[in-house]
Amino acid sequence: MASGRRQYPFHLIEPKWQERWEDQKAFRAFNPGEDIPADHAFAKRHALSGAVSADQLPPKFYVLDMFPYPSGSGLHVGHPEGYTGTDILARYNRSKGNHVLHPMGWDAFGLPAEQYAVKTGQHPRISTEANVANFKRQIQSLGFSYDWTREVNTTDEKYFKWSQWIFLQLYNSWFNPETNKAESIDKLPCPEELTTEKQKREYRDSKRLAFVSHAPVWWCEALGTVLANEEVIDGKSERGNHPVVRKPMRQWMLRITEYAERLLDDLDDIDWSHALKEMQRNWIGRSEGAEVDFEIADYQDDDGNAVKLRVFTTRPDTLFGATYMVMSPEHELVSKLTSAEKKEEVEDYIAEAGKKSDLERTELAKDKTGVFIGAHAINPVNGERIPIWISDYVLATYGTGAIMAVPAHDTRDFEFAEKFELPIIQVVQPPSEDTPWQGYTDHGTSVNSTTSDLSLDGLSTSEAKAKITEWLESKKLGTKTINYKLRDWLFSRQRYWGEPFPIIWKKDEDGEPYHEALPESDLPVVPPPLEDYKPTSTGEPPLARAQEWVNLPDGSTRETNTMPQWAGSCWYYLRYLDAANEGALAGKQAESYWMGADKGAKPGVDLYVGGTEHAVLHLLYARFWHKFLYDLGCVSTTEPFFKLVNQGIILGEDGQKMAKSRGNVINPDGVVDEFGADAFRLYEMFMGPLEMMKPWSTKGVEGVYRFLGRVWRLFADDVSSRAFEQACTAEPDKAAAHLETVKLNAAIEDVEATPEQLKVLHGAIKKVTEDLDHMRFNTAISAMMVFVNEANNWEKLPTSAMKTFLILLQPFAPHIAEELWAKFDDDSGLSLPYQPWPPFDEAHLAEDEIELPVQVNGKLRDRITVSASATDEEIEKAALASEKVQQFLEGKEIKKVIIPRKKLVNIAAK
RNA sequence: GCGCAUAUGGCGGAAUUGGCAGACGCGCUACCUUGAGGUGGUAGUGGGGAGACCCGUGCAGGUUCAAGUCCUGCUAUGCGCACCA
């Protein structure tokens, strides 16, 4: 326990101001056209009232936190780290005169609530509501200036109506590669050869941005659901670390791959960290190369046509070095091409590969396996017959599912060729003679690549690529191709606690099922109540249990899958703009004001802060939906989040990751109880740069807490403070009333600040302002500490300077700042959070005399004091006159004297 | 294996275009107040040396009048991806 006595009465101050802010709706943001009460501080600050158009409103500043999943264990110190940073900037911008949008909400669909429901039979809404209430209490105890009228909850049917609405638009759209954007499915041109309604329907269904797939998906037995690629890590589920297996199932998918190029290109326009952009680039995984057709030797299809095996390669320049081909075991041509004598061996291998999980496939990566299938292909450049193998090192899901193997210049092909003793031919010469060519995969010079028709020899790798690609295209043997690692997004889950799809299933004249969208007027589709939230015994999702809900009067049935948790978090930042709008996900005016780039504002969310764990999943999905909504005309920017910052992880006091099992978890409630919300906020920011990983230190909290105590004692009168404490001891239940008896320090007087005081004050203003502009919260706090340390030595404390300091302190420690501010008679009529941010005046920082360090050959030898107006010549003279300097110059010849920007003197001598 | 980030006192971290390394805070030492302790205050605190001085920003080089900062090559830690042809 740190102390018996409090540094200052934060326990009375903090609830008092939190209540007041709520009563006054102090942090409401007003949409264009909304009625602004004349007595609201925002109205007074900007001389506005009533309904105001977007042009009349001050510039917007949209500062956003990643909304939390309200778990049962409550807030963790990592959450408020980002929230405090954004709150400081929200308050700073409010003070600067911007119109701040700073909202909070709940990403409340999710597996833990559902698993709890399975266990207890209680509807997940009940536990969700309790968790939300607890999270909200904790967040509010920290004094964040959110506009709670805009609170959203993804499980609220008024909210998920619009999640379902976006899905409907995806369902009703296709991606036109010509225009590079989504368009209505009604405008999809249908090939003429499709005549029947069924054919046309199937064609349309194959083009929708939301479509049904029967491809193998990741099935997690323990979670009872399928997972997206991105939710599977090393063959285990991201949540819970359960094993997953590959299994073909009917699933809804979203065609995110159509947006790959735009998702990649537009990264250039946004202010995200380099590291984060790289992660997204890697995930999208664009690679440029060529698809090349290899004719199969001695083989025709049933119609007597030649059959071709198509491969993708990023190194078409190495085509002459292709000595064998490899197909993935799942490749559709495998069964056709396998010779009779190899059939058994090949089938065994396929069965064996199918049994392996992906984990096993990668763990065994070093040891290549494979089988020759008894067929050959013809290398199109030189007519060589090369054997075709199958191996699980070739993935069915990337490129064409088959490769040409160039063992000399590809590590995997090299390992495979060595193991199976396949020929290795050099076709690239490394730049250095000393580098062995075997297994050399970098660029070099082409060799051994000549026929009567074509020669690459002597060309650099990039020249050779260009030449061979052109040659292949001219001979119709191949085409330039771009491939992406990004896969379509698996969008359905076999869960209860998620958004139901606005989709029904019908049967056509052949008795085959097909899907149809529900009309918008049917939204929201609300999940039915259940007694049992487990999947059914046949593996169907839990919604299938609600037979009355599933079966519609006309004989059609509802889709029983639900959407993944990402659905709600993909667009919540848009709902905040106009959270109560029942006619649209966000009104046009509100959207263009808050997200638009008018009046020099940043396009999209000005600042988005959250954990790095969402570097690919949430941030890629949200960008995809945003671009889709842009195509639809629903949003006015191509990107949702202009600037994004990842806060670093906070470690336990032992330097280890916080975990219940280690017993090193810090509970914010405990810290707030002991030191107060202001100290908590201040410490979270004082620890170090926001983006860095850093360990918690209770001693460090005590340090900033002591600072706030010094602030309190600087402003509060000693005698009345002591009287207040005694009164509180005597009448603890009247403590709040006694707080009002604390008077302002008598040393605070309405006097002119001295030049020395102005220098200290403006130094602090300058440092805090510049640091806030660059999110350097830790150094801004240290600047305020310096001010307080200085002010403690002052005999008289000028009112104006002390009030200005409180404006600086307010964003960081708003409660104590408000309490002290209230002790002044302020006639501005504005509450503290709306006080104009003080400008700093460089004139006050100027000095009459400056002290300069003098170096000889780069080593500090003396300091000299000169007039601030001294010329370089005068400074040089003064420096050379110094005795100490002369000692070091003895016997040396002065080569040069450097005086850069009057910062120091360096004498170079020999 | 590939990509990215980071490396500064006993600790968290400062050092804005290359210009006084260690701001601010923690811890520690001494003293004052209190006097049982804690709180509060003052002074000191990178290492070595009695001292003039010398050495110091993960390691090794380089550029420069001047390098924590720029360049080259390493090492360690963290994160991401991982048979992506």
mmCIF file of all heavy atoms in Angstrom, chain A residues 688-716:
data_model
loop_
_atom_site.group_PDB
_atom_site.id
_atom_site.type_symbol
_atom_site.label_atom_id
_atom_site.label_comp_id
_atom_site.label_asym_id
_atom_site.label_seq_id
_atom_site.Cartn_x
_atom_site.Cartn_y
_atom_site.Cartn_z
ATOM 1 N N GLY A 688 5.804 6.164 -21.640
ATOM 2 C CA GLY A 688 6.664 6.155 -22.820
ATOM 3 C C GLY A 688 5.825 6.377 -24.050
ATOM 4 O O GLY A 688 4.616 6.606 -23.945
ATOM 5 N N PRO A 689 6.444 6.328 -25.227
ATOM 6 C CA PRO A 689 5.692 6.563 -26.458
ATOM 7 C C PRO A 689 4.533 5.576 -26.602
ATOM 8 O O PRO A 689 4.681 4.396 -26.279
ATOM 9 C CB PRO A 689 6.725 6.352 -27.565
ATOM 10 C CG PRO A 689 8.049 6.529 -26.904
ATOM 11 C CD PRO A 689 7.853 6.081 -25.483
ATOM 12 N N LEU A 690 3.419 6.073 -27.104
ATOM 13 C CA LEU A 690 2.192 5.288 -27.205
ATOM 14 C C LEU A 690 2.405 3.957 -27.936
ATOM 15 O O LEU A 690 1.874 2.929 -27.539
ATOM 16 C CB LEU A 690 1.132 6.125 -27.944
ATOM 17 C CG LEU A 690 -0.283 5.592 -27.942
ATOM 18 C CD1 LEU A 690 -0.847 5.578 -26.530
ATOM 19 C CD2 LEU A 690 -1.177 6.408 -28.851
ATOM 20 N N GLU A 691 3.188 3.978 -28.993
ATOM 21 C CA GLU A 691 3.310 2.785 -29.846
ATOM 22 C C GLU A 691 4.205 1.712 -29.239
ATOM 23 O O GLU A 691 4.218 0.590 -29.716
ATOM 24 C CB GLU A 691 3.915 3.154 -31.216
ATOM 25 C CG GLU A 691 3.194 4.229 -31.964
ATOM 26 C CD GLU A 691 3.790 5.604 -31.694
ATOM 27 O OE1 GLU A 691 3.963 5.948 -30.496
ATOM 28 O OE2 GLU A 691 4.073 6.323 -32.651
ATOM 29 N N MET A 692 4.966 2.075 -28.200
ATOM 30 C CA MET A 692 5.962 1.140 -27.679
ATOM 31 C C MET A 692 5.380 0.163 -26.665
ATOM 32 O O MET A 692 4.470 0.490 -25.928
ATOM 33 C CB MET A 692 7.084 1.921 -26.998
ATOM 34 C CG MET A 692 7.904 2.736 -27.959
ATOM 35 S SD MET A 692 8.887 1.666 -29.022
ATOM 36 C CE MET A 692 9.083 2.721 -30.443
ATOM 37 N N MET A 693 5.979 -1.006 -26.615
ATOM 38 C CA MET A 693 5.656 -1.974 -25.574
ATOM 39 C C MET A 693 6.380 -1.529 -24.305
ATOM 40 O O MET A 693 7.539 -1.128 -24.382
ATOM 41 C CB MET A 693 6.168 -3.339 -26.023
ATOM 42 C CG MET A 693 5.868 -4.453 -25.065
ATOM 43 S SD MET A 693 6.624 -5.991 -25.628
ATOM 44 C CE MET A 693 5.507 -6.477 -26.917
ATOM 45 N N LYS A 694 5.703 -1.523 -23.178
ATOM 46 C CA LYS A 694 6.371 -1.057 -21.958
ATOM 47 C C LYS A 694 5.772 -1.681 -20.711
ATOM 48 O O LYS A 694 4.589 -1.993 -20.688
ATOM 49 C CB LYS A 694 6.324 0.462 -21.864
ATOM 50 C CG LYS A 694 4.930 1.023 -22.070
ATOM 51 C CD LYS A 694 4.921 2.283 -22.934
ATOM 52 C CE LYS A 694 3.495 2.598 -23.313
ATOM 53 N NZ LYS A 694 3.209 2.737 -24.692
ATOM 54 N N PRO A 695 6.604 -1.869 -19.704
ATOM 55 C CA PRO A 695 6.112 -2.530 -18.496
ATOM 56 C C PRO A 695 5.426 -1.558 -17.538
ATOM 57 O O PRO A 695 5.802 -0.394 -17.444
ATOM 58 C CB PRO A 695 7.394 -3.070 -17.852
ATOM 59 C CG PRO A 695 8.464 -2.142 -18.303
ATOM 60 C CD PRO A 695 8.042 -1.594 -19.637
ATOM 61 N N TRP A 696 4.427 -2.032 -16.843
ATOM 62 C CA TRP A 696 3.720 -1.270 -15.827
ATOM 63 C C TRP A 696 4.618 -1.117 -14.608
ATOM 64 O O TRP A 696 5.423 -1.999 -14.316
ATOM 65 C CB TRP A 696 2.435 -2.001 -15.432
ATOM 66 C CG TRP A 696 1.572 -1.238 -14.482
ATOM 67 C CD1 TRP A 696 1.582 -1.315 -13.127
ATOM 68 C CD2 TRP A 696 0.592 -0.277 -14.829
ATOM 69 N NE1 TRP A 696 0.659 -0.443 -12.616
ATOM 70 C CE2 TRP A 696 0.028 0.204 -13.630
ATOM 71 C CE3 TRP A 696 0.126 0.247 -16.054
ATOM 72 C CZ2 TRP A 696 -0.972 1.169 -13.607
ATOM 73 C CZ3 TRP A 696 -0.879 1.208 -16.028
ATOM 74 C CH2 TRP A 696 -1.420 1.652 -14.804
ATOM 75 N N SER A 697 4.475 0.013 -13.910
ATOM 76 C CA SER A 697 5.223 0.193 -12.670
ATOM 77 C C SER A 697 4.382 0.980 -11.686
ATOM 78 O O SER A 697 4.022 2.132 -11.939
ATOM 79 C CB SER A 697 6.533 0.934 -12.966
ATOM 80 O OG SER A 697 6.965 1.642 -11.826
ATOM 81 N N THR A 698 4.052 0.348 -10.574
ATOM 82 C CA THR A 698 3.232 1.039 -9.583
ATOM 83 C C THR A 698 3.988 2.233 -9.014
ATOM 84 O O THR A 698 3.403 3.278 -8.739
ATOM 85 C CB THR A 698 2.825 0.064 -8.466
ATOM 86 O OG1 THR A 698 2.042 -0.979 -9.075
ATOM 87 C CG2 THR A 698 1.977 0.743 -7.407
ATOM 88 N N LYS A 699 5.334 2.099 -8.904
ATOM 89 C CA LYS A 699 6.163 3.226 -8.444
ATOM 90 C C LYS A 699 6.004 4.410 -9.400
ATOM 91 O O LYS A 699 6.031 5.567 -8.974
ATOM 92 C CB LYS A 699 7.632 2.815 -8.381
ATOM 93 C CG LYS A 699 7.944 1.885 -7.239
ATOM 94 C CD LYS A 699 7.956 2.649 -5.931
ATOM 95 C CE LYS A 699 8.331 1.750 -4.776
ATOM 96 N NZ LYS A 699 8.022 2.390 -3.492
ATOM 97 N N GLY A 700 5.893 4.092 -10.684
ATOM 98 C CA GLY A 700 5.723 5.141 -11.684
ATOM 99 C C GLY A 700 4.393 5.852 -11.510
ATOM 100 O O GLY A 700 4.300 7.071 -11.668
ATOM 101 N N VAL A 701 3.337 5.098 -11.175
ATOM 102 C CA VAL A 701 2.030 5.713 -10.933
ATOM 103 C C VAL A 701 2.146 6.659 -9.743
ATOM 104 O O VAL A 701 1.650 7.782 -9.771
ATOM 105 C CB VAL A 701 0.937 4.666 -10.616
ATOM 106 C CG1 VAL A 701 -0.425 5.328 -10.566
ATOM 107 C CG2 VAL A 701 0.942 3.541 -11.631
ATOM 108 N N GLU A 702 2.858 6.211 -8.711
ATOM 109 C CA GLU A 702 3.031 7.054 -7.541
ATOM 110 C C GLU A 702 3.735 8.346 -7.904
ATOM 111 O O GLU A 702 3.436 9.404 -7.343
ATOM 112 C CB GLU A 702 3.829 6.305 -6.465
ATOM 113 C CG GLU A 702 3.010 5.232 -5.779
ATOM 114 C CD GLU A 702 3.854 4.360 -4.849
ATOM 115 O OE1 GLU A 702 4.888 4.829 -4.358
ATOM 116 O OE2 GLU A 702 3.463 3.197 -4.652
ATOM 117 N N GLY A 703 4.664 8.277 -8.851
ATOM 118 C CA GLY A 703 5.396 9.459 -9.286
ATOM 119 C C GLY A 703 4.480 10.512 -9.872
ATOM 120 O O GLY A 703 4.529 11.683 -9.483
ATOM 121 N N VAL A 704 3.618 10.117 -10.819
ATOM 122 C CA VAL A 704 2.731 11.119 -11.422
ATOM 123 C C VAL A 704 1.650 11.550 -10.423
ATOM 124 O O VAL A 704 1.185 12.682 -10.457
ATOM 125 C CB VAL A 704 2.072 10.617 -12.734
ATOM 126 C CG1 VAL A 704 3.119 10.427 -13.826
ATOM 127 C CG2 VAL A 704 1.276 9.365 -12.531
ATOM 128 N N TYR A 705 1.304 10.638 -9.532
ATOM 129 C CA TYR A 705 0.328 10.965 -8.486
ATOM 130 C C TYR A 705 0.890 12.066 -7.587
ATOM 131 O O TYR A 705 0.206 13.025 -7.237
ATOM 132 C CB TYR A 705 0.036 9.687 -7.701
ATOM 133 C CG TYR A 705 -0.905 9.821 -6.535
ATOM 134 C CD1 TYR A 705 -2.172 10.397 -6.689
ATOM 135 C CD2 TYR A 705 -0.549 9.325 -5.278
ATOM 136 C CE1 TYR A 705 -3.042 10.482 -5.603
ATOM 137 C CE2 TYR A 705 -1.407 9.398 -4.201
ATOM 138 C CZ TYR A 705 -2.646 9.987 -4.367
ATOM 139 O OH TYR A 705 -3.508 10.067 -3.309
ATOM 140 N N ARG A 706 2.179 11.938 -7.236
ATOM 141 C CA ARG A 706 2.841 12.985 -6.440
ATOM 142 C C ARG A 706 2.852 14.305 -7.191
ATOM 143 O O ARG A 706 2.698 15.373 -6.604
ATOM 144 C CB ARG A 706 4.280 12.569 -6.128
ATOM 145 C CG ARG A 706 4.382 11.693 -4.900
ATOM 146 C CD ARG A 706 5.789 11.739 -4.330
ATOM 147 N NE ARG A 706 6.723 10.948 -5.109
ATOM 148 C CZ ARG A 706 6.935 9.653 -4.892
ATOM 149 N NH1 ARG A 706 6.292 9.020 -3.932
ATOM 150 N NH2 ARG A 706 7.793 8.985 -5.622
ATOM 151 N N PHE A 707 3.048 14.219 -8.523
ATOM 152 C CA PHE A 707 3.032 15.439 -9.336
ATOM 153 C C PHE A 707 1.671 16.123 -9.205
ATOM 154 O O PHE A 707 1.582 17.337 -9.003
ATOM 155 C CB PHE A 707 3.344 15.097 -10.793
ATOM 156 C CG PHE A 707 2.940 16.169 -11.777
ATOM 157 C CD1 PHE A 707 3.583 17.402 -11.784
ATOM 158 C CD2 PHE A 707 1.907 15.948 -12.689
ATOM 159 C CE1 PHE A 707 3.219 18.396 -12.694
ATOM 160 C CE2 PHE A 707 1.532 16.936 -13.586
ATOM 161 C CZ PHE A 707 2.185 18.166 -13.589
ATOM 162 N N LEU A 708 0.592 15.340 -9.299
ATOM 163 C CA LEU A 708 -0.743 15.940 -9.170
ATOM 164 C C LEU A 708 -0.931 16.528 -7.774
ATOM 165 O O LEU A 708 -1.577 17.565 -7.612
ATOM 166 C CB LEU A 708 -1.836 14.897 -9.477
ATOM 167 C CG LEU A 708 -1.922 14.470 -10.946
ATOM 168 C CD1 LEU A 708 -2.967 13.367 -11.120
ATOM 169 C CD2 LEU A 708 -2.235 15.649 -11.852
ATOM 170 N N GLY A 709 -0.330 15.872 -6.760
ATOM 171 C CA GLY A 709 -0.362 16.416 -5.398
ATOM 172 C C GLY A 709 0.337 17.773 -5.341
ATOM 173 O O GLY A 709 -0.144 18.711 -4.718
ATOM 174 N N ARG A 710 1.473 17.875 -6.052
ATOM 175 C CA ARG A 710 2.196 19.155 -6.078
ATOM 176 C C ARG A 710 1.362 20.222 -6.784
ATOM 177 O O ARG A 710 1.355 21.385 -6.381
ATOM 178 C CB ARG A 710 3.553 18.993 -6.777
ATOM 179 C CG ARG A 710 4.630 18.386 -5.890
ATOM 180 C CD ARG A 710 6.034 18.711 -6.378
ATOM 181 N NE ARG A 710 6.308 18.170 -7.711
ATOM 182 C CZ ARG A 710 6.636 16.902 -7.932
ATOM 183 N NH1 ARG A 710 6.711 16.049 -6.938
ATOM 184 N NH2 ARG A 710 6.878 16.491 -9.161
ATOM 185 N N VAL A 711 0.672 19.820 -7.837
ATOM 186 C CA VAL A 711 -0.209 20.758 -8.543
ATOM 187 C C VAL A 711 -1.285 21.257 -7.572
ATOM 188 O O VAL A 711 -1.537 22.457 -7.459
ATOM 189 C CB VAL A 711 -0.880 20.092 -9.774
ATOM 190 C CG1 VAL A 711 -1.965 20.997 -10.353
ATOM 191 C CG2 VAL A 711 0.169 19.755 -10.837
ATOM 192 N N TRP A 712 -1.880 20.314 -6.861
ATOM 193 C CA TRP A 712 -2.945 20.676 -5.920
ATOM 194 C C TRP A 712 -2.438 21.665 -4.872
ATOM 195 O O TRP A 712 -3.043 22.698 -4.614
ATOM 196 C CB TRP A 712 -3.481 19.401 -5.241
ATOM 197 C CG TRP A 712 -4.594 19.665 -4.280
ATOM 198 C CD1 TRP A 712 -4.504 19.711 -2.920
ATOM 199 C CD2 TRP A 712 -5.961 19.933 -4.593
ATOM 200 N NE1 TRP A 712 -5.718 19.985 -2.369
ATOM 201 C CE2 TRP A 712 -6.647 20.127 -3.376
ATOM 202 C CE3 TRP A 712 -6.683 20.017 -5.797
ATOM 203 C CZ2 TRP A 712 -8.009 20.402 -3.314
ATOM 204 C CZ3 TRP A 712 -8.043 20.299 -5.742
ATOM 205 C CH2 TRP A 712 -8.689 20.488 -4.510
ATOM 206 N N ARG A 713 -1.276 21.374 -4.296
ATOM 207 C CA ARG A 713 -0.734 22.230 -3.237
ATOM 208 C C ARG A 713 -0.246 23.576 -3.775
ATOM 209 O O ARG A 713 -0.175 24.551 -3.052
ATOM 210 C CB ARG A 713 0.392 21.499 -2.493
ATOM 211 C CG ARG A 713 -0.123 20.301 -1.697
ATOM 212 C CD ARG A 713 0.933 19.731 -0.773
ATOM 213 N NE ARG A 713 2.072 19.198 -1.520
ATOM 214 C CZ ARG A 713 2.118 17.968 -2.010
ATOM 215 N NH1 ARG A 713 1.109 17.131 -1.841
ATOM 216 N NH2 ARG A 713 3.175 17.555 -2.678
ATOM 217 N N LEU A 714 0.070 23.596 -5.071
ATOM 218 C CA LEU A 714 0.462 24.869 -5.684
ATOM 219 C C LEU A 714 -0.742 25.800 -5.797
ATOM 220 O O LEU A 714 -0.634 27.014 -5.621
ATOM 221 C CB LEU A 714 1.059 24.606 -7.074
ATOM 222 C CG LEU A 714 1.616 25.794 -7.861
ATOM 223 C CD1 LEU A 714 2.817 26.403 -7.142
ATOM 224 C CD2 LEU A 714 2.032 25.352 -9.265
ATOM 225 N N PHE A 715 -1.904 25.239 -6.084
ATOM 226 C CA PHE A 715 -3.101 26.038 -6.322
ATOM 227 C C PHE A 715 -3.967 26.228 -5.070
ATOM 228 O O PHE A 715 -4.683 27.213 -4.973
ATOM 229 C CB PHE A 715 -3.980 25.392 -7.410
ATOM 230 C CG PHE A 715 -3.503 25.653 -8.805
ATOM 231 C CD1 PHE A 715 -2.515 24.862 -9.369
ATOM 232 C CD2 PHE A 715 -4.035 26.686 -9.564
ATOM 233 C CE1 PHE A 715 -2.064 25.090 -10.659
ATOM 234 C CE2 PHE A 715 -3.592 26.925 -10.860
ATOM 235 C CZ PHE A 715 -2.610 26.133 -11.415
ATOM 236 N N ALA A 716 -3.917 25.226 -4.171
ATOM 237 C CA ALA A 716 -4.865 25.273 -3.053
ATOM 238 C C ALA A 716 -4.216 25.899 -1.828
ATOM 239 O O ALA A 716 -3.024 25.711 -1.572
ATOM 240 C CB ALA A 716 -5.358 23.867 -2.732
#
